[in-house]
Amino acid sequence: MTSPVGLHRVLAPAGVLPQAAQRLDARAEVGADEVRIAVERLNLDAASFRQLREKHGGDGAAVRAEVLDIVGRRGKMHNPVTGSGGMLIGTVDEVGPASPLGLKVGDRVATLVSLTLTPLHIAGTTWDGGGEQVPCTGHAILFARSVAAVLPEDLDSRLALAVLDVCGAPALTARVVRPGGAVAVLGGAGKSGSLSLAAARAAGAARTTAVVVDEAEAALLRGAGLADEVVVADARDPVAVAAAVGEPVDVTVVCVDVPGCEHGAILATAAGGTVVFFSMATSFAAAALGAEGLAADVTMLIGNGYVPGHAAYALDLVREVSAVRELFEGRLGA
């Protein structure tokens, strides 16, 4: 009997949900409420890809080998160091008769749930290990409680995949930003950062500040015009972040894919403000204890990647804000 949350796919340890499992059963046979996807491309999350690239000194072949080893051993793409995975696109090739997802055979879809809980088998790949997107063949399984979006026909699939990988960030930003407020985005030149800046402006933010790591990213973002102010600071340096942002803001969104950015975000946020941690590199213990130690009266939110309507919202931002689309396409081209 199948479980709507995938308990029947957990091989070890017993009694945990698929995301916490060490190994999943990635067999191709579909249960009554499952959907099988013929995989076309994975999108590794930024924190995971950075960790693998740094571990192997930029050796693409070694990165490729480790990703294939992780998937082969675990039955899912679940980086054991970062605890993160990514998502994928592919084509629906079988739908169980009791599946509630509303998908049909032949739909090209993006999975909007993490690869860390998605049963996955990779049959082959031409990937060189040099980028976050992994072209491959194989299959993946969606459960009754999974989330997927049919890919839009008006956007290139690689662009749609990159956007949908981070679509929770702009939707949550739009939810917490209030008209007339001030917003800072750490990592504003990245995928989730640029979308969050656009979402903050669309939500009525009176002042947006982007914090980036170097002058190259600053120049890129200033040219895009997505932020009212672009400042350079190491997001891991709390004093430097606070000084760069200046007057504390109402909302700080953390989109940096390296650890150690918690305290700077807290210092940059005004009393009564909100910090959104949309990064798998975040230490939530460091965030909680750091806020306590700073006597910071801030609300801290974990960006869990899901907000109702998040996929459509992010895709519409890309369609409507040409600067965001150009940044994404530039990164894909590079």
Side-chain angles (χ1 to χ4, degrees):
M1 183 175 179
T2 61
S3 158
V5 296
L7 289 173
H8 59 289
R9 291 276 181 171
V10 174
L11 295 177
V16 302
L17 292 172
Q19 197 282 327
Q22 289 299 311
R23 291 190 297 122
L24 295 182
D25 179 356
R27 70 187 187 280
E29 291 78 15
V30 171
D33 61 359
E34 293 181 328
V35 172
R36 187 175 67 243
I37 308 296
V39 178
E40 175 183 324
R41 188 177 295 266
L42 312 181
N43 195 104
L44 303 181
D45 82 279
S48 178
F49 180 68
R50 176 188 285 270
Q51 183 273 325
L52 291 167
R53 184 182 60 197
E54 291 180 349
K55 173 183 176 180
H56 295 291
D59 182 342
V63 173
R64 176 183 183 274
E66 181 160 359
V67 168
L68 292 177
D69 178 66
I70 290 170
V71 175
R73 285 186 295 106
R74 305 198 67 176
K76 58 178 180 173
M77 179 53 212
H78 191 168
N79 186 317
V81 176
T82 63
S84 53
M87 43 87 76
L88 63 83
I89 60 172
T91 302
V92 175
D93 66 2
E94 188 170 350
V95 178
S99 172
L101 300 186
L103 301 175
K104 61 183 184 299
V105 173
D107 283 343
R108 290 191 73 224
V109 299
T111 60
L112 302 182
V113 290
S114 175
L115 292 178
T116 64
L117 55 83
T118 303
L120 173 66
H121 169 73
I122 295 178
T125 179
T126 59
W127 184 49
D128 63 4
E132 296 175 3
Q133 293 201 5
V134 184
C136 60
T137 58
H139 67 262
I141 301 295
L142 299 182
F143 310 130
R145 286 283 297 271
S146 298
V147 185
V150 177
L151 288 170
E153 296 182 357
D154 63 321
L155 297 177
D156 177 86
S157 61
R158 293 189 308 139
L159 173 60
L161 177 59
V163 173
L164 293 172
D165 180 46
V166 295
C167 62
L172 186 54
T173 299
R175 174 183 283 182
V176 300
V177 169
R178 296 292 177 261
V183 179
V185 178
L186 277 58
K191 294 188 299 182
S192 58
S194 59
L195 280 167
S196 295
L197 285 168
R201 183 169 284 174
R207 175 170 65 97
T208 55
T209 301
V211 180
V212 297
V213 69
D214 55 35
E215 285 296 341
E217 288 206 344
L220 185 68
L221 203 50
R222 289 185 186 115
L226 286 173
D228 298 312
E229 185 178 12
V230 180
V231 297
V232 176
D234 186 334
R236 298 167 296 184
D237 183 336
V239 176
V241 170
V245 171
E247 182 179 352
V249 297
D250 302 293
V251 176
T252 300
V253 184
V254 182
C255 297
V256 184
D257 59 359
V258 295
C261 303
E262 300 85 6
H263 296 169
I266 293 166
L267 277 180
T269 307
T274 300
V275 183
V276 179
F277 291 107
F278 199 87
S279 168
M280 291 299 100
T282 300
S283 165
F284 300 106
L289 296 175
E292 177 185 284
L294 293 167
D297 177 20
V298 295
T299 298
M300 296 185 291
L301 302 178
I302 301 171
N304 73 357
Y306 177 73
V307 176
H310 61 331
Y313 181 73
L315 291 170
D316 282 345
L317 280 177
V318 170
R319 292 183 180 103
E320 296 164 7
V321 184
S322 60
V324 173
R325 182 167 184 161
E326 290 166 6
L327 281 175
F328 269 79
E329 289 176 339
R331 289 184 179 277
L332 288 171

